[in-house]
Amino acid sequence: MAAARVLANATTTSAASSFFSKTSFLPNHTLPFTSNFISLSRTLPSSRKSFSCRALYLPEVKIKEEGQPETLDYRVFFTDQSGKKVSPWHDVPLHLGDGVFNFIVEIPKETSAKMEVATDEPFTPIKQDTKKGKLRYYPYNINWNYGLLPQTWEDPSFANSEVDGAFGDNDPVDVVEIGESDRKIGQILKVKPLAALAMIDEGELDWKIVAISLDDPKASLVNDIDDVEKHFPGTLTAIRDWFRDYKIPDGKPANKFGLGNKPANKDYALKVIEETNKSWANLVKRSIPSGELSLV
């Protein structure tokens, strides 16, 4: 169990700016986020300042937009009640107890703008991804809410022997949330994992945790992979096929999947989360070189 694990009892409700298809943004919003967290501090080498996790107690997380949507300089920052910037990757706790985790929405359901946490920028705001200086869009809408598990990291120096020896992709773990609601950028949801897909993207391991928000009407009906097949028939196959094929319209080969090209069950998903949380803890403690990643 990683020393950097943060436990909490949290209440989260919707917030943030919305990004439907390629337009429709809202002004700044406030995300109620009531928590009681175990203290966590991270001491850096003497040449650096002490880095303390600012997610010790955040009664409110606010969303602050900077720049214009659909521009290269557009950013969605998270701030605490005092207006101080915090990192959605490092400062929002992962664990809520009882197998429930925080999930941060980057890409709302039925949108196509490829939004992501900027892991190499201070306070890791959400931005639109770019390629060769141009904003990136998926070739078609994603059919589920998509985002990250905070305080996780797929270590690029670790070769996973269970997934063809693939190395981590140097990002937080991705979540595909299958509930019925269209969520919003920056929204923090309480989710329970149901399954895991081991996507291999250009040789890198890029886990997809399939989960459902606790406030979804069907949340009480699904607790593991078999329940997904029963109450969301065809969804696991659709998720795999979507992520397998989305690069093909751009002339790239299809992505591959490990674990026999099949989704793994809830227990396996929990194992992935625990392992990547430990990797994140080692990262922020400087036990592993951070490279260009921002740890603030």
Side-chain angles (χ1 to χ4, degrees), residues 160 162-164 196-198 200 207 257-264 268 272:
N160 193 310
E162 297 179 5
V163 190
D164 304 330
L197 284 160
I200 302 174
W207 286 107
F257 287 85
L259 304 179
N261 203 38
K262 297 179 180 179
Y268 200 99
V272 170

Side-chain angles (χ1 to χ4, degrees), residues 77-95:
F77 283 96
F78 288 55
T79 67
D80 63 17
Q81 197 170 23
S82 71
K84 185 177 180 180
K85 289 178 179 177
V86 297
S87 166
W89 182 19
H90 300 307
D91 295 331
V92 174
L94 171 64
H95 294 83

